[in-house]
Amino acid sequence: MSNAFKFLHASDLHLDRAISGIAEIPSHWKQSLTNAPYDAAERLFDLAINERVDFVLLAGDVVDLDLGGPRSIAFLLGQFERLASKNIHVYWCGGGVDQTEHWPKAIELPANVTTFPSTLVEPVVHVRGENPVATILGASLDSQKRNPANFHAGEDEIFAIALLHGELDLTSVSLQHINYWALGGKHKRKIVKRDETIVVYPGTLQSRCPTETGPHGCTLVSVDTDGVAHVQDKAVDQIRWTDQRLTVSESNKIPELKEIIGERALKICTDSPDRQILMNWKISTTGEFHSGLRKASLQKELLNWLRQEFGQLHGSLWTVSFEIDAPRALPTEWYEEDTILGDYLRAVSRFQGDTTLSLPLENYLAETTDGKEWMVDLARLPKETRESILHRAALLGVDNLSAHDLNSTDA
Ligand SMILES: [Mn+2]
């Protein structure tokens, strides 16, 4: 039996790294984008206070100590002091950009902050009152010292934590008598459990680009009196990239489309009342193709409507992109027409119906060495790629050869 205790584990705060990857953004969103890393970090420290944790582990890349300005230093000092007033300790190991030796020499870190050198693995015992609750073996980033064998806890009962930044050979971590590996350096959350050991990369607090979709935050760890760690993800991100897929019917009219899309947008806003969403919409369709739905002007109209409706001054959802996927089925009568389009679609459907017919695409390639290399690939196209090419070819024909009313918006 030992003391139960709680801690928060976070990494890759990158306070000075702005959000990127958005081409058009209204001016009233710009400040939120600049502040997002700070807002997320503040939520992390709020959470530490609200959860009454014993300590916070910062596993590197908190801020670029060489490039980051005074704002980040002042912010961290303020937050560390808030934690000190609640008797919460901070253990901070340096990562790629925050070698803690680079902290400005003229500014003293508060007494509740312990940093670790990069030259050796240093064990520190965290005590509550008179009682030792955990040993923290920390080291700042140095590729030579990242060998798990350097993090070796004694065989006593006390809960052991290794705190470091970077890749780790996970195959050899179970032998070190470490209960919890608090790692940093991955921006996407990753957790591995092996025997009695938990290895956690909490990911960055705040996503920075369109590929970092979904919730981001830190890990709350509660260790019970048997020394068993229970981990929970805690999202603290201020701005969240979200890919939203929706299926609508080709026969939906514009007001119905707006209603379906608007309902979903509203639900997302109410589900996340205290954060802002950057949204990429992907709309799939069912039913027979209606060219009105594919019009660029309609997609632009819906995009502008979404931005107007949900992204203005008090709106919390900004639509970054809005795309309607190509439909699977075209009206059967189009294939039977005695027109150039009919001839074209019948030609495409021959290739769709008979997968043994090879696509003579190489005829359209330039006769270069590169072209010849491509030919080899074209001869062995995977089934899905072949289907997708033929489908897109059919749609291209409809766009360019159709006498059907492409201007009709009564889709
Ligand atoms: Mn990082």
Side-chain angles (χ1 to χ4, degrees):
M1 290 287 276
S2 53
N3 288 304
F5 65 99
K6 275 206 266 191
F7 63 91
L8 268 187
H9 167 203
S11 80
D12 302 85
L13 280 65
H14 289 293
L15 287 174
D16 51 313
R17 196 178 285 179
I19 292 178
S20 60
I22 316 159
E24 303 164 298
I25 196 87
S27 53
H28 64 273
W29 274 71
K30 285 182 184 156
Q31 189 150 16
S32 317
L33 295 182
T34 318
N35 283 339
Y38 287 93
D39 291 339
E42 194 163 341
R43 287 180 176 198
L44 162 77
F45 297 118
D46 288 347
L47 185 67
I49 291 168
N50 295 338
E51 289 285 342
R52 297 163 184 256
V53 299
D54 293 81
F55 52 87
V56 175
L57 302 176
L58 298 177
D61 280 2
V62 171
V63 61
D64 191 322
L65 285 175
D66 293 325
L67 298 177
R71 180 185 179 187
S72 50
I73 302 291
F75 170 84
L76 285 172
L77 281 175
Q79 297 299 322
F80 291 158
E81 274 155 17
R82 271 178 80 206
L83 297 182
S85 72
K86 303 289 179 190
N87 203 20
I88 298 172
H89 208 93
V90 176
Y91 297 95
W92 177 8
C93 77
V97 296
D98 59 345
Q99 289 294 299
T100 47
E101 290 94 336
H102 292 198
W103 178 267
K105 296 237 172 344
I107 301 167
E108 208 174 319
L109 275 165
N112 64 322
V113 180
T114 301
T115 60
F116 294 89
S118 54
T119 45
L120 62 129
V121 175
E122 197 168 80
V124 177
V125 176
H126 182 85
V127 289
R128 190 204 285 147
E130 304 269 285
N131 302 318
V133 294
T135 302
I136 295 142
L137 295 122
S140 285
L141 179 63
D142 176 335
S143 50
Q144 303 302 309
K145 301 288 178 302
R146 231 184 293 149
N147 183 346
N150 292 324
F151 292 79
H152 200 96
E155 294 189 25
D156 52 13
E157 290 287 285
I158 192 167
F159 192 88
I161 297 167
L163 174 64
L164 69 155
H165 183 96
E167 282 292 342
L168 195 69
D169 175 11
L170 294 176
T171 54
S172 55
V173 300
S174 57
L175 308 168
Q176 322 297 322
H177 302 288
I178 302 281
N179 301 85
Y180 185 95
W181 290 84
L183 304 183
K186 287 192 193 297
H187 288 200
K188 195 173 174 355
R189 181 179 168 77
K190 181 179 178 185
I191 177 161
V192 180
K193 288 189 184 165
R194 176 162 297 129
D195 306 325
E196 305 286 282
T197 301
I198 303 179
V199 181
V200 176
Y201 286 94
T204 182
L205 291 190
Q206 170 60 56
S207 55
R208 296 303 195 292
C209 59
T211 51
E212 295 179 349
T213 52
H216 284 77
C218 57
T219 303
L220 175 66
V221 185
S222 311
V223 179
D224 65 23
T225 50
D226 295 324
V228 178
H230 306 271
V231 297
Q232 262 177 287
D233 309 352
K234 291 282 180 184
V236 296
D237 46 355
Q238 172 60 35
I239 293 187
R240 186 171 296 172
W241 291 90
T242 306
D243 287 341
Q244 182 64 51
R245 293 193 160 270
L246 255 186
T247 303
V248 299
S249 161
E250 289 276 335
S251 59
N252 279 138
K253 295 188 169 43
I254 293 176
E256 290 164 348
L257 281 180
K258 286 186 175 171
E259 200 178 311
I260 296 166
I261 296 164
E263 257 175 35
R264 182 63 62 94
L266 200 62
K267 179 166 181 350
I268 289 162
C269 293
T270 35
D271 285 352
S272 310
D274 46 3
R275 59 176 51 86
Q276 291 160 281
I277 309 287
L278 292 172
M279 185 81 103
N280 291 312
W281 295 89
K282 278 243 183 243
I283 312 293
S284 314
T285 57
T286 57
E288 283 208 334
F289 179 78
H290 193 298
S291 53
L293 203 57
R294 226 61 48 195
K295 275 174 59 191
S297 61
L298 172 67
Q299 300 196 28
K300 185 82 186 151
E301 180 188 332
L302 288 170
L303 172 92
N304 288 337
W305 171 76
L306 274 165
R307 288 180 173 178
Q308 191 66 33
E309 200 75 6
F310 298 96
Q312 289 313 305
L313 212 48
H314 301 291
S316 60
L317 185 150
W318 181 254
T319 294
V320 178
S321 68
F322 183 88
E323 275 174 43
I324 300 183
D325 280 352
R328 302 316 303 172
L330 298 176
T332 38
E333 60 271 22
W334 291 7
Y335 288 84
E336 289 151 16
E337 287 179 359
D338 192 12
T339 59
I340 298 175
L341 175 66
D343 286 345
Y344 179 81
L345 289 178
R346 285 191 289 278
V348 174
S349 77
R350 263 200 306 283
F351 288 102
Q352 286 173 320
D354 183 355
T355 52
T356 61
L357 276 183
S358 75
L359 291 174
L361 297 176
E362 62 273 18
N363 298 342
Y364 304 99
L365 291 175
E367 282 186 30
T368 60
T369 323
D370 279 357
K372 278 179 192 146
E373 279 170 15
W374 271 94
M375 273 183 228
V376 177
D377 290 334
L378 286 171
R380 308 192 198 102
L381 283 179
K383 187 165 165 274
E384 305 81 63
T385 314
R386 181 188 162 95
E387 280 171 8
S388 156
I389 288 176
L390 288 167
H391 187 64
R392 273 155 48 204
L395 289 173
L396 202 61
V398 173
D399 275 353
N400 290 295
L401 304 171
S402 181
H404 298 284
D405 185 8
L406 288 174
N407 295 318
S408 153
T409 51
D410 61 347

